[in-house]
Amino acid sequence: MKQTNEITSTNPLGYEPIPQLLRRFAVPSIIAMVVSSLYNIVDQIFIGHGVGYLGNAATNVAFPISTITMAAALLTGIGGSAKFSLSLGAGEEEEAKSCVGNMFWMGLFFGLLICGITFAFMEPMLYAFGATDNVLPLAVEYVSITAVGIPFLLLTNILSNLIRADGSPRYSMVCMIIGAVINTILDPVFIFAFEMGVGGAALATVISQIISFCAALAYLFRFRTVKLGKEFFAVSIKKCIVIASLGLSNSLNQLAITLIQIVLNNSLTHYGAMSIYGADIPLSGSGVVMKVNSIVIGVFVGLCQGSLPIYGFNYGAKKYDRVKANYKLAVKCSFVMSTLAFISFQCFPQYIISLFGSGDALYMEFTIRFIRTFLFMIIINGVQLISANFFSAIGKPLKGVMLTMSRQVLFLIPLMLILPLFFGLDGILYAAPISDSLAFLTSIFFIRREFKNMDNLGGCK
């Protein structure tokens, strides 16, 4: 107990004001996540102008591979950094050290596994993800190159979470910014100057991912809170399972997003073919909207990741008042961002869509309707994500999983399958705001119960 009290009194996570801590940890994390989202968005913008809307559709059907990769990164990165912070807060330095090596080797395994599966089953996967005959050749060209970068992308995100938990959020941010800047520079060079099309965008992405990984890897030699030694190479299946359990809700949320993307793509092509828009326009338009939305989601995820070490350390140190204060502040911040997003999507959709290239009148008509309707309840979206992450960070992953599954699996997917039977293509658009509202109410219910439980435990100020 004495060791725990000493660590709590000397580690800023245990005594600095919550607004100051959240600003220091969350702002770099938000920037890093938004920059990470820009990898795909920059590709989409340049491809839209250089290749056309079929190129945008190709990156859309390839996007589930990226979300699957991020699911593995969150499983290991969020889970490992949560365990790392909980161990530090409880004064268990050796346990914290062992997290680092297990996280790295788990990430390498998952990266190589996903890369191998992608190359082995590329065309069947892309057809399953909603590719049409017109889109498939461009999608294959794009994925054939980006698949090489999967291990680098996955490990960079894992290391970024760990670097942030070690108390260096700015370094984590810089690792992501370096890659995004290089990607933005190389994209127009490869697409327009070298006339490489979607292949050029893919090559720019992989090069930037490798450089970001090298920057993150260098941090392993300069940890602040622990000193790494031979334990880095010791892999424990038991500890890997613990890490995975803490990252499960975030990972399942990402996998659910992947499943939603697959259902959405196939539903759009099916019902789109029965409408005046055809199969390709809804597929391309939704790809643009989902990429734009990824920036907002990046802010929410950045808030979650920036909160992780604060939640974990203070919960481990039994400072429950600080845990609750951080949650409330994170939710307030999410409302600010989501309000700005709502205003932008409702008032200026045509300007946002035009950034990704031009299309005919039907393309613009559908995409504007999609962004306004599908994202109508974005103003409350952050609460569900922050709540699920909150439970994982305090060592209660099952509740986090339940919240994650409520929005994605219990509400959204069934609604996307049922409503189009009555409303056609419009039914797909209505499914999102309804499920967002139901998920918000579910999250509030779980959080209020957990706060009462903390009150009964007796928070330390």
Side-chain angles (χ1 to χ4, degrees):
M1 178 64 69
K2 182 179 179 182
Q3 185 186 11
T4 301
N5 290 336
E6 288 176 353
I7 292 176
T8 301
S9 62
T10 57
N11 194 314
L13 290 169
Y15 65 82
E16 280 192 5
I18 293 298
Q20 182 177 327
L21 278 174
L22 187 60
R23 183 171 60 251
R24 177 147 57 91
F25 280 85
V27 171
S29 180
I30 289 170
I31 293 173
M33 290 307 303
V34 170
V35 166
S36 179
S37 300
L38 289 175
Y39 273 113
N40 287 302
I41 290 175
V42 168
D43 283 353
Q44 194 105 24
I45 290 173
F46 286 116
I47 287 172
H49 287 282
V51 180
Y53 75 87
L54 286 179
N56 280 335
T59 61
N60 186 23
V61 297
F63 194 56
I65 298 173
S66 295
T67 56
I68 290 170
T69 302
M70 287 305 299
L74 291 172
L75 180 76
T76 309
I78 296 289
S81 60
K83 176 61 176 172
F84 184 84
S85 297
L86 285 166
S87 299
L88 284 180
E92 301 168 351
E93 185 176 326
E94 292 302 316
E95 190 71 14
K97 277 198 234 180
S98 70
C99 289
V100 179
N102 281 285
M103 289 171 68
F104 183 86
W105 299 115
M106 284 175 70
L108 182 62
F109 170 77
F110 284 131
L112 294 175
L113 178 65
I114 297 171
C115 179
I117 292 173
T118 299
F119 276 112
F121 304 102
M122 189 176 300
E123 288 198 13
M125 286 173 64
L126 292 173
Y127 269 126
F129 295 161
T132 63
D133 290 336
N134 291 331
V135 171
L136 183 66
L138 291 172
V140 168
E141 181 183 356
Y142 185 78
V143 174
S144 296
I145 299 172
T146 56
V148 176
I150 287 174
F152 301 102
L153 173 64
L154 202 154
L155 282 168
T156 300
N157 280 275
I158 290 172
L159 291 172
S160 291
N161 279 283
L162 190 54
I163 292 167
R164 197 176 301 112
D166 189 53
S168 300
R170 290 184 180 178
Y171 190 98
S172 174
M173 173 188 70
V174 168
C175 292
M176 303 304 297
I177 289 178
I178 289 172
V181 170
I182 293 172
N183 187 47
T184 303
I185 294 171
L186 292 181
D187 258 335
V189 173
F190 290 157
I191 293 174
F192 299 111
F194 295 164
E195 298 182 352
M196 295 176 65
V198 294
L203 182 59
T205 298
V206 172
I207 292 172
S208 60
Q209 288 169 348
I210 293 173
I211 294 173
S212 286
F213 166 72
C214 291
L217 185 66
Y219 188 87
L220 289 178
F221 303 98
R222 48 180 294 184
F223 260 79
R224 300 170 60 179
T225 55
V226 297
K227 299 296 182 184
L228 300 180
K230 61 182 181 180
E231 68 277 348
F232 178 79
F233 299 97
V235 179
S236 167
I237 300 299
K238 182 179 179 181
K239 290 177 180 177
C240 288
I241 292 173
V242 172
I243 288 171
S245 70
L246 293 176
L248 189 60
S249 67
N250 288 274
S251 179
L252 287 177
N253 182 65
Q254 196 70 21
L255 286 175
I257 291 173
T258 305
L259 182 58
I260 287 168
Q261 187 75 41
I262 295 170
V263 173
L264 178 63
N265 286 349
N266 283 280
S267 297
L268 287 170
T269 54
H270 176 75
Y271 290 100
M274 302 177 186
S275 71
I276 59 173
Y277 302 110
D280 292 327
I281 284 178
L283 188 64
S284 178
S286 70
V288 168
V289 174
M290 299 307 283
K291 295 293 173 61
V292 171
N293 186 43
S294 71
I295 296 179
V296 184
I297 299 299
V299 174
F300 297 155
V301 173
L303 273 171
C304 292
Q305 293 183 346
S307 298
L308 265 175
I310 306 172
Y311 289 143
F313 186 93
N314 286 285
Y315 194 86
K318 305 186 187 306
K319 294 194 169 189
Y320 304 121
D321 285 350
R322 291 174 62 80
V323 175
K324 292 191 293 182
N326 188 84
Y327 172 86
K328 292 176 182 177
L329 184 58
V331 168
K332 289 177 182 176
C333 293
S334 76
F335 275 129
V336 173
M337 175 60 196
S338 58
T339 301
L340 294 174
F342 176 83
I343 294 171
S344 300
F345 296 160
Q346 295 302 315
C347 299
F348 313 108
Q350 63 272 25
Y351 298 108
I352 296 171
I353 295 165
S354 64
L355 292 173
F356 296 84
S358 59
D360 58 24
L362 286 176
Y363 168 78
M364 291 299 295
E365 177 187 314
F366 173 82
T367 309
I368 288 173
R369 285 178 57 213
F370 191 95
I371 196 170
R372 282 178 168 163
T373 308
F374 199 81
L375 301 182
F376 186 76
M377 295 303 295
I378 195 170
I379 203 163
I380 58 174
N381 271 3
V383 174
Q384 182 264 340
L385 192 57
I386 290 171
S387 300
N389 177 78
F390 168 81
F391 283 109
S392 297
I394 64 173
K396 298 185 177 182
L398 288 180
K399 290 185 178 180
V401 170
M402 290 176 67
L403 285 184
T404 297
M405 293 297 98
S406 68
R407 194 262 178 185
Q408 316 289 24
V409 176
L410 296 181
F411 302 140
L412 184 55
I413 292 177
L415 286 170
M416 282 201 299
L417 295 175
I418 295 171
L419 292 181
L421 298 175
F422 301 95
F423 302 103
L425 196 59
D426 287 341
I428 301 172
L429 278 59
Y430 301 150
I434 296 173
S435 62
D436 289 340
S437 302
L438 294 173
F440 171 78
L441 295 174
T442 305
S443 299
I444 294 300
F445 173 77
F446 274 93
I447 287 295
R448 291 187 67 178
R449 290 187 60 184
E450 187 59 36
F451 277 16
K452 288 182 180 178
N453 180 53
M454 288 186 186
D455 290 337
N456 292 333
L457 291 173
C460 305
K461 292 184 180 180

